[in-house]
Amino acid sequence: MGSSAAPTQPSPQNPNQQAARLLGEAIAQVQRVIVGQEHMVEQLMVGLLAKGHILLEGVPGVAKTLAVRSFATVVGGDFARIQFTPDLVPSDIVGTRIYKASQEGFDVELGPVFVNFVLADEVNRAPAKVQAAMLELMAEKQVSIGGVTYPMAEPFIVIATQNPIESEGVYPLPEAQRDRFLLMVDVPYPRGNEEFEILRRMSVRPPTSRPVLDPQRIIELQKQASEVFVHNLVAEYIVRLVLATRTPAEFNLPDLTSVIQLGCSPRATLGLVAAARALALIHGRDYVLPTDVQAVAKDVMAHRIVLGFDAIADNIQPAQVIERIIAMVPPPTPVWNGQSAQPGGHRPPQRQVAQPDFS
């Protein structure tokens, strides 16, 4: 009788399994409010663990803002929402110097971005000056006001939203600005059964979520995610995926040479590693599988490539190009005790080795 409980004893001692349970609880709390959109909610957590900023793109009314608000509530920390408009100026978001006659000098009034989570709502409505100010605080995690540098809070994440269908009164994000976002997640319409659940759940008394994490715990989880093991063959696979966007003919994709005008930058390589590590931690593993890389590749890479004019005229989407590259570039095969893992499998049985070999 006593021996039957033995296999369950090592599990609580595994810090990655503990982290996975905690992260799963946090994701479940967000899902209490958000119907469907599992991919978006998971990618929000991936971006948080990977210390990356996230851009959500979708038509109005698909719960982008509600998802970010619920997510900020669950993970704890300070939260600020900034509604971007064409008349916004940089001092409105980062702060400014104010003259105080009583002190006969200037005092610094910090802006709303000095929080843990910034929701930049409809970021493409802001003019170039504001986008440039956002670029500094996203990349450097600091703001300069009156010659003095003010660091951002820890952790610090910018989650921006944009509406892809509007063209009036918007300033499309330049390539340099899009490249600063670790992930660009497409938020689609809900499916039929999800629409019915939205009606049932939100029309009477909308549910609320409760805090699960706090800033200090998030910092610990971020450090834990950065220590997830990446095998050399998985790292080479990541590099091949990125190189395939720059020289597709060398990877048996000659038809993409005229489609891709500009390939992914090295930020895509680093982003793939960071996002894959975060996803592995969410699944309770201390190593990255090729399936982790494939799961995050589209959101990490699609917004970093620039398509040629003919491809845009033919209505080819960047995500379709990345899916083609993923299908054509062969991944390494994880081997569990001399046997190949099942395709798409995320975690081995408990009796197998902790980290796989690759062939």
Side-chain angles (χ1 to χ4, degrees):
M1 295 294 292
S3 60
S4 61
T8 63
Q9 290 300 321
S11 181
Q13 305 301 322
N14 187 339
N16 291 73
Q17 292 289 344
Q18 291 177 345
R21 281 195 294 272
L22 189 61
L23 295 169
E25 183 182 352
I27 291 174
Q29 281 297 315
V30 179
Q31 294 286 4
R32 290 187 72 246
V33 180
I34 303 300
V35 179
Q37 307 291 11
E38 293 88 356
H39 178 72
M40 174 184 65
V41 176
E42 184 179 66
Q43 293 303 84
L44 287 174
M45 190 63 73
V46 167
L48 175 66
L49 295 175
K51 303 181 184 179
H53 308 293
I54 306 161
L55 180 61
L56 304 179
E57 184 175 82
V59 297
V62 291
K64 300 187 298 293
T65 304
L66 179 61
V68 177
R69 279 190 174 278
S70 303
F71 183 75
T73 299
V74 169
V75 299
D78 299 325
F79 170 75
R81 176 179 182 263
I82 306 174
Q83 182 67 51
F84 280 44
T85 57
D87 61 346
L88 211 63
V89 295
S91 59
D92 291 334
I93 64 170
V94 301
T96 186
R97 300 173 72 200
I98 300 175
Y99 181 77
K100 292 194 173 181
S102 59
Q103 300 177 358
E104 295 185 355
F106 288 90
D107 194 10
V108 173
E109 186 73 23
L110 297 179
V113 295
F114 286 88
V115 292
N116 297 115
F117 301 96
V118 176
L119 170 57
D121 228 346
E122 299 188 29
V123 67
N124 55 336
R125 287 190 177 275
K129 281 186 176 181
V130 176
Q131 292 179 359
M134 287 289 294
L135 191 69
E136 180 192 4
L137 67 92
M138 288 170 58
E140 310 298 335
K141 296 193 176 179
Q142 64 183 30
V143 168
S144 300
I145 304 175
V148 180
T149 299
Y150 299 89
M152 310 306 293
E154 284 288 342
F156 174 71
I157 303 292
V158 173
I159 305 176
T161 69
Q162 69 175 5
N163 179 359
I165 63 172
E166 290 187 345
S167 57
E168 291 188 15
V170 299
Y171 304 81
L173 294 178
E175 286 76 11
Q177 184 83 346
R178 292 204 309 267
D179 199 35
R180 298 290 182 179
F181 288 98
L182 171 67
L183 302 166
M184 180 173 174
V185 184
D186 180 58
V187 186
Y189 280 122
R191 295 181 288 270
N193 61 323
E194 294 171 348
E195 194 88 24
F196 184 83
E197 179 63 18
I198 291 171
L199 177 63
R200 187 194 68 80
R201 190 183 301 185
M202 306 299 286
S203 61
V204 183
R205 182 180 296 174
T208 57
S209 51
R210 62 174 178 82
V212 175
L213 303 173
D214 58 77
Q216 185 57 43
R217 186 70 177 117
I218 291 170
I219 293 173
E220 294 172 1
L221 289 169
Q222 288 175 339
K223 183 176 183 296
Q224 198 169 339
S226 68
E227 294 172 350
V228 171
F229 175 73
V230 180
H231 194 279
N232 281 341
L233 290 179
V234 177
E236 290 176 7
Y237 174 57
I238 290 172
V239 171
R240 290 202 307 273
L241 287 175
V242 174
L243 291 179
T245 66
R246 303 176 193 169
T247 55
E250 297 180 7
F251 293 86
N252 297 321
L253 293 165
D255 55 311
L256 294 184
T257 302
S258 60
V259 172
I260 303 175
Q261 179 180 333
L262 198 63
C264 292
S265 72
R267 281 201 191 101
T269 309
L270 299 175
L272 281 172
V273 173
R277 278 175 160 158
L279 189 61
L281 182 63
I282 290 174
H283 290 152
R285 283 184 273 104
D286 59 357
Y287 53 87
V288 171
L289 291 175
T291 49
D292 297 324
V293 180
Q294 294 167 351
V296 299
K298 187 168 66 172
D299 293 332
V300 172
M301 299 171 67
H303 63 287
R304 289 185 160 95
I305 63 173
V306 179
L307 301 184
F309 177 79
D310 291 340
I312 296 175
D314 292 339
N315 201 29
I316 297 176
Q317 300 298 319
Q320 296 173 324
V321 177
I322 299 303
E323 287 173 354
R324 176 85 192 287
I325 291 174
I326 294 173
M328 292 298 293
V329 177
T333 304
V335 178
W336 312 102
N337 290 343
Q339 296 180 349
S340 298
Q342 294 297 320
H346 280 298
R347 54 178 81 176
Q350 293 296 322
R351 67 180 183 276
Q352 293 175 334
V353 293
Q355 294 177 352
D357 291 326
F358 289 87
S359 61

